[in-house]
Amino acid sequence: MSGLLRIPLASLPAPQTGDQNEISSLYELIDECCRSGVARSALLLTARKMPPHLIKPHHLRLAFEALEPLRHADRARSFDLADGSRAITWRGEAGSLLDRALTTLRHLLADDPAIADIAQIAPLYVLPRDADIMREALRATIPTAPEIILVSPRIPEKLDPASLQSLEQSLLQVNVSRFARHRRVWRVADNKKLEPAWDKRFLSVAELTATLLPNHDATADPWLYRRLTRTLDRRLLSLLAAPHELRAAGPLSLDLNIGTLLTPQFLHFDSALPAHLRGNLNIDLLPADILADPTAYIFARGFARARRYQVMIREVSLPLLLALDFKALDADLIELEFTPELMQHTELLPRGVRLVLSYSNHSGQIDSAAREFAAAHGIRLLAPRD
Amino acid sequence: MNAIPPPTGERLLADAIRRAQRSGNQQLLTLHLGSLPAPRPHHRRIARALLQDAASRHGGQIFPLRNNDLALLTTITDGKGGAIDPANLPATFAELFRADRPDPAGLTSIWNIETDQTEIFQYLQTLLTQEPQLPLCDEIPPPPAAVEDIASLLATARIGDLTQRQIAIEIAPDPAAPGSRGRIMRPLFREITFSVDVLESRLAVTGRASSDPYLFRHLAARLDPRMMEFVLTKMNIHAPGAPRLHINLTIETLVTAEFDEFARQCLDYGHRPGIEVPLIEACRDPDQFKQARDRVQNYGFPLIIEGVSPLGLRLANPGSFGADLVKLNWDKSLAVHATPEMIAAINRLGPERIILQRAQNEQAITFGLGVGITRFQGHHIDAMLAAARLKSCPEGDASHCTLRQCSERAAATSAATRRFCRNQPLLERGMPENLRQSPER
């Protein structure tokens, strides 16, 4: 039994029995909403809370049919849970679809005086705000099970061209919103407190690979990974260009390839960008990408400025501080990677451009050293990484 | 019944201008994309999007023209509408095309419909006399699996047919005539490369691998072991007086045990090949590059950063990576727009550390020598050396050869191609002894 691990179910964060795939997917979706900040709503029709005289299969079928209009909402997904409950999630506002579903449910349950509010049977959750409450409600739908068996993880394989092609094809078909993530960049205010500056939006490559091409490491081959990022760029732009996606968003930044900036997909995103984000969106570019096609960089930079985007050169490490001519690059922002060695070479810090200090916040020591370094050199934008 | 040909952009524009005369307060803004030295599909796409935006906000219509120019017929504005206000578009386009066309004069024209009719119709008349240009289309990179096919082919193919060599030379003052303007040419090394074009055409790959720099770098890493094997087994590096070879390897390979073994065998033969690494690899992972550079230099091999474009030399300082030499790509913009910034960038690196590669014409040599660069590589050098070989070949030996044949045989790594040459020692040497250039050069 080597490689197998027995774990009591109760200790798992997400349940794995009965309709375990369904409920696991629902848990994942809630987690994603929390990580990415992409708003969703969820309606949970709880079977065990139905009145005793209405729990026959045909009653439940009628109740489920009442929810059918919600399947037409944006990115609607339905989850059948192990205790007979059903959850429906969707993105944005369902408006009249939700009204129709709730009205039908109310009609079904109208004769039961014990049900004062339909929310007792079918609570509505707004994610990520109500994530904890919904997780708690879902926990109650899990039947108990003795134990499950997990197989110990295998070493992931390196991506090769064939698997990259397969991954790219899968990416064209899958809804990538579940892989959307955000990471906050902070500004040091005058009172020394941190306040949000903008959100970096990206797709989680690790989770996306784990889902679409399990047991592969997409980043192991650096150049195939760079190629993959082009497809990811297009998918991210298509996600963000969806109606309402950025309607309530604050300032943000996107890691993009220069080539992506000059594609029809970016032009589509640009035309869909809400007015309040014009001037509040950074395009983050890699130095190697710039030097692979410098004329395209100059062109893209001009285009970005014409459309009021700000250009940031990201992941600038100490050797690149020496190797790049920041005056000639003429970017709006430079993201420096903090390492303790940087403290010995402060004369290399670019002048006349806003700096963002990026550092790993795994270690409290690095975290405080980075923040001290930033304070000492007037760097007011901080980008801690997980 | 003959089909009526669709109206061209020029005719539609001419009609629109005649109509616009009645309303007045109209102007024609033309972006002369056709005049760019190397127009690219994204130039047209982005420029059209900006013009479309201006047309939507200020009222107007866009006309794509047969030479890839784009014309916007719109109202005359006051320039208060930001970057895409028609009045400001010339400045916006000048910024966008700064790298492709440093001198913005002639990039855009603005004509008043009422007062500049003669110029407008003269321009349209000229266009109608020209052949239409092919539309600018995006190059489609091959699917990733095509790279797998190329790598698989190389694993089994006879590699000599798929590689080529090119000589690099140094042009130095003639020691036999000190004080004169005469110069001599000295061979420096021969670079061995895979001919990806040959590989792709053999496999009938759709799209060029080199059009996707990332796929191309992955392919390069897959080719490294075959290249090292080829140099050790087929290039006679153990022969006395064998010329120094240069090969391109990726930094991933340079930190492996396979490279150590290759280096040891080279040293056993008394050969120290130059190792060339592209600038983008050094920038992608500077720490790994440093590790790779130290290993190469510890074996006593020269390390060269290659693939530096003229603009790349302005945006970066490749000298900071600690390589022995840097290969700068020749580009005619170097000579046409040899700005003080460009000259400063060359001086910052040091002309003595630069090899001007892709020297395709005499202009490259003139420019290089003018800024102190003395090392060159490219087709023009190949042609110069072939001409010198033909001239010095004993009478009769070269009578059946053309300049192109001599050049191709010198570039071949396969003995099957070289065997047609009747003067193998001269072909192998690359150039006659003490090749002198005329003082006029």
Side-chain angles (χ1 to χ4, degrees), chain A residues 161 165 221-224 226-227 257 262 264 267 288-289 291-295 299 301-303 307 319 323 325 328, chain B residues 40 45-46 53 96 98 143-145 148 212 214-215 217-218 252 280 283-284 286 309 314-317 320 348:
Chain A
Q165 191 159 326
D221 184 297
W223 297 110
L224 291 184
R226 293 296 328 145
R227 154 89 185 206
N257 286 283
L262 306 172
L267 290 175
D289 194 31
L291 291 171
D293 192 349
T295 54
F299 186 83
R301 188 188 64 192
F303 169 57
R307 308 301 288 131
D325 184 332
Chain B
R40 297 169 71 176
R45 182 163 49 240
I46 299 296
D53 209 359
L96 253 73
R98 212 165 72 177
E148 192 72 58
D212 183 326
Y214 303 142
L215 273 187
R217 292 313 314 154
H218 169 80
E252 285 84 5
I280 61 165
C283 286
R284 184 190 59 76
S309 67
R314 281 198 51 208
L315 300 182
N317 177 16
S320 71
R348 178 174 63 184

Side-chain angles (χ1 to χ4, degrees), chain B residues 77-113:
Chain B
T77 54
D78 56 8
K80 290 179 183 168
I84 52 144
D85 186 302
N88 300 331
L89 276 174
T92 303
F93 286 134
E95 175 67 20
L96 253 73
F97 290 97
R98 212 165 72 177
D100 300 274
R101 188 169 166 148
D103 177 9
L107 179 64
T108 47
S109 305
I110 292 191
W111 289 304
N112 185 304
I113 294 298

Side-chain angles (χ1 to χ4, degrees), chain A residues 52-373:
Chain A
H53 61 280
L54 286 177
I55 53 169
K56 297 273 171 55
H58 64 274
H59 295 135
L60 282 176
R61 197 181 66 238
L62 283 173
F64 289 159
E65 280 174 7
L67 303 183
E68 281 303 294
L70 287 171
R71 287 179 180 268
H72 300 290
D74 185 27
R75 314 281 166 103
R77 288 176 70 188
S78 173
F79 303 87
D80 288 327
L81 309 180
D83 73 338
S85 301
R86 175 174 289 182
I88 294 200
T89 64
W90 63 93
R91 206 166 68 174
E93 293 169 4
S96 61
L97 299 174
L98 179 61
D99 289 345
R100 274 167 55 199
L102 293 179
T103 305
T104 314
L105 268 183
R106 277 191 201 99
H107 279 301
L108 271 176
L109 305 167
D111 294 339
D112 195 320
I115 300 173
D117 184 355
I118 196 68
Q120 289 174 245
I121 303 290
L124 178 68
Y125 303 101
V126 177
L127 300 172
R129 187 192 68 193
D130 302 333
D132 289 341
I133 308 169
M134 187 171 176
R135 283 194 195 103
E136 196 60 44
L138 287 176
R139 208 159 288 141
T141 70
I142 306 166
T144 52
E147 63 179 11
I148 55 134
I149 297 172
L150 291 182
V151 179
S152 61
R154 287 157 53 197
I155 297 166
E157 290 172 34
K158 209 172 167 181
L159 208 62
D160 60 26
S163 51
L164 171 64
Q165 191 159 326
S166 149
L167 183 56
E168 285 186 343
Q169 281 165 356
S170 306
L171 267 171
L172 296 178
Q173 292 155 10
V174 76
N175 173 8
V176 294
S177 63
R178 53 198 289 218
F179 307 114
R181 301 285 174 269
H182 68 152
R183 187 184 301 139
R184 189 143 287 174
V185 174
W186 301 88
R187 180 185 295 107
V188 184
D190 290 338
N191 60 6
K192 309 276 191 239
K193 286 191 176 167
L194 293 182
E195 57 186 35
W198 66 79
D199 273 349
K200 182 186 277 275
R201 297 284 189 104
F202 58 100
L203 296 177
S204 166
V205 176
E207 290 172 45
L208 182 148
T209 316
T211 307
L212 301 177
L213 200 64
N215 218 36
H216 280 75
D217 181 358
T219 58
D221 184 297
W223 297 110
L224 291 184
Y225 173 61
R226 293 296 328 145
R227 154 89 185 206
L228 175 65
T229 58
R230 291 186 170 177
T231 309
L232 296 177
D233 284 355
R234 288 197 294 273
R235 298 299 287 127
L236 179 65
L237 289 176
S238 137
L239 171 72
L240 297 179
H244 308 307
E245 184 62 48
L246 293 177
R247 199 174 59 177
L252 54 113
S253 73
L254 304 175
D255 289 353
L256 294 179
N257 286 283
I258 293 171
T260 306
L261 206 52
L262 306 172
T263 57
Q265 287 85 358
F266 187 82
L267 290 175
H268 175 64
F269 165 80
D270 178 63
S271 63
L273 191 70
H276 75 276
L277 285 178
R278 188 77 61 197
N280 281 312
L281 198 153
N282 299 341
I283 307 286
D284 304 348
L285 305 172
L286 278 175
D289 194 31
I290 292 171
L291 291 171
D293 192 349
T295 54
Y297 165 70
I298 300 291
F299 186 83
R301 188 188 64 192
F303 169 57
R305 293 218 168 119
R307 308 301 288 131
R308 296 178 54 213
Y309 298 110
Q310 298 183 88
V311 172
M312 181 166 95
I313 300 176
R314 65 184 162 109
E315 295 178 31
V316 176
S317 57
L318 181 57
L320 288 176
L321 275 180
L322 274 168
L324 298 173
D325 184 332
F326 293 100
K327 193 175 170 205
L329 284 165
D330 190 21
D332 302 292
L333 295 135
I334 309 286
E335 183 195 57
L336 299 176
E337 283 188 346
F338 177 78
T339 54
E341 295 76 45
L342 188 61
M343 293 191 278
Q344 315 302 320
H345 297 89
T346 53
E347 76 284 359
L348 296 175
L349 293 180
R351 311 275 171 216
V353 60
R354 280 193 295 155
L355 299 177
V356 180
L357 195 67
S358 138
Y359 56 92
S360 163
N361 66 357
H362 279 157
S363 150
Q365 214 173 354
I366 293 281
D367 185 285
S368 59
R371 290 176 66 167
E372 279 171 26
F373 179 83

Side-chain angles (χ1 to χ4, degrees), chain B residues 262-278:
Chain B
F262 166 75
R264 271 192 289 273
Q265 289 199 43
C266 284
L267 290 175
D268 287 347
Y269 292 139
H271 192 86
R272 287 186 161 80
I275 305 296
E276 303 195 358
V277 175

Side-chain angles (χ1 to χ4, degrees), chain B residues 156-168:
Chain B
T156 53
R158 271 180 42 179
I159 210 161
D161 300 339
L162 304 169
T163 50
Q164 57 200 11
R165 60 185 186 171
Q166 190 173 50
I167 199 165

Side-chain angles (χ1 to χ4, degrees), chain B residues 172-243:
Chain B
D174 187 351
S180 77
R181 291 174 62 205
R183 294 186 173 103
I184 59 163
M185 292 204 292
R186 282 198 293 254
L188 288 173
F189 59 84
R190 282 179 193 185
E191 183 186 357
I192 313 290
T193 52
F194 281 109
S195 174
V196 176
D197 292 344
V198 173
L199 286 165
E200 286 173 339
S201 59
R202 195 173 283 193
L203 283 164
V205 170
T206 309
R208 294 188 307 123
S210 50
S211 68
D212 183 326
Y214 303 142
L215 273 187
F216 188 72
R217 292 313 314 154
H218 169 80
L219 177 63
R222 301 277 295 268
L223 301 184
D224 285 348
R226 289 288 278 155
M227 177 56 84
M228 291 191 290
E229 178 199 344
F230 179 68
V231 166
L232 288 175
T233 57
K234 303 287 182 192
M235 292 308 294
N236 293 325
I237 55 172
H238 55 278

